[in-house]
Amino acid sequence: RPVLRGVDAVVSCLGVPNDARTLLDPPPLYVEGTARIVEAMQAEGVGRIVVISAAFVAASRGPLLFRRAVIPSLTRVLDQMRGMEALLRVSGLGWTAVRPGWLMEGEATGDAWVGLEPFPETMIRARTGDVAALLLDCAGRDAWLGRAPFIARDEPDAEEGNLRVALEMLA
């Protein structure tokens, strides 16, 4: 609670490691962690929270191997993210749940696709820089208040990268 005193907004980037063991049996980080943050915010009178969720809580996108192998392996993590979003909806706070596609390292480009409908089938990647820029925009301007916008970008090597991610997840 003391950390939240006097702040205007909280940006939560809670996340679990991307290893098979954690993904198959994740700690209750998203729901319980967010519940604790929400409780502290309510106690301190902070009314705005922006969190990272995932596009795949609401949309199955990408190459067939990705949809059939990777997304099912994330079921427990995605279920927690759904629970986190549900908690935010009933929290009474001004919330936004940013839903990136598969995260890739990269600077902000300023040209990422952002919208309420799932992004185009071929755009399943999202650069960390673009996601960070959207998170800060949401917190600073109350953009996408009470919404869960998707964010993705058409990456030239995305198909090859998505296949590599799928194969790594299966290994």
Side-chain angles (χ1 to χ4, degrees), residues 13-132:
C13 298
L14 292 176
V16 296
N18 190 19
D19 63 78
R21 188 176 184 183
T22 303
L23 296 176
L24 291 173
D25 188 23
L29 180 67
Y30 295 99
V31 175
E32 290 184 20
T34 302
R36 289 185 181 137
I37 292 169
V38 165
E39 289 169 8
M41 289 176 66
Q42 291 167 333
E44 294 298 325
V46 179
R48 182 75 169 113
I49 184 169
V50 182
V51 303
I52 291 182
S53 184
F56 309 111
V57 303
S60 182
R61 291 287 191 257
L64 183 62
L65 180 60
F66 188 83
R67 289 191 319 261
R68 296 259 170 101
V70 176
I71 292 176
S73 71
L74 299 173
T75 298
R76 291 184 177 180
V77 172
L78 296 174
D79 285 345
Q80 283 196 36
M81 289 180 173
R82 286 182 195 98
M84 173 184 69
E85 288 187 17
L87 184 147
L88 293 173
R89 284 186 189 93
V90 299
S91 70
L93 298 174
W95 62 273
T96 303
V98 172
R99 291 176 169 171
W102 195 266
L103 287 173
M104 64 182 287
E105 292 296 321
E107 298 294 320
T109 63
D111 67 357
W113 181 95
V114 179
L116 290 178
E117 295 298 320
F119 44 79
E121 183 73 29
T122 58
M123 280 190 203
I124 71 164
R125 304 289 289 199
R127 289 186 180 206
T128 54
D130 287 325
V131 173

Side-chain angles (χ1 to χ4, degrees), residues 111-168:
D111 67 357
W113 181 95
V114 179
L116 290 178
E117 295 298 320
F119 44 79
E121 183 73 29
T122 58
M123 280 190 203
I124 71 164
R125 304 289 289 199
R127 289 186 180 206
T128 54
D130 287 325
V131 173
L134 179 58
L135 291 165
L136 293 174
D137 186 52
C138 289
R141 293 187 320 108
D142 282 345
W144 300 99
L145 191 61
R147 305 286 183 125
F150 292 87
I151 179 171
R153 185 170 185 275
D154 189 16
E155 294 289 340
D157 62 347
E159 194 68 31
E160 178 184 316
N162 296 335
L163 184 57
R164 187 176 60 252
V165 166
L167 293 173
E168 287 171 4

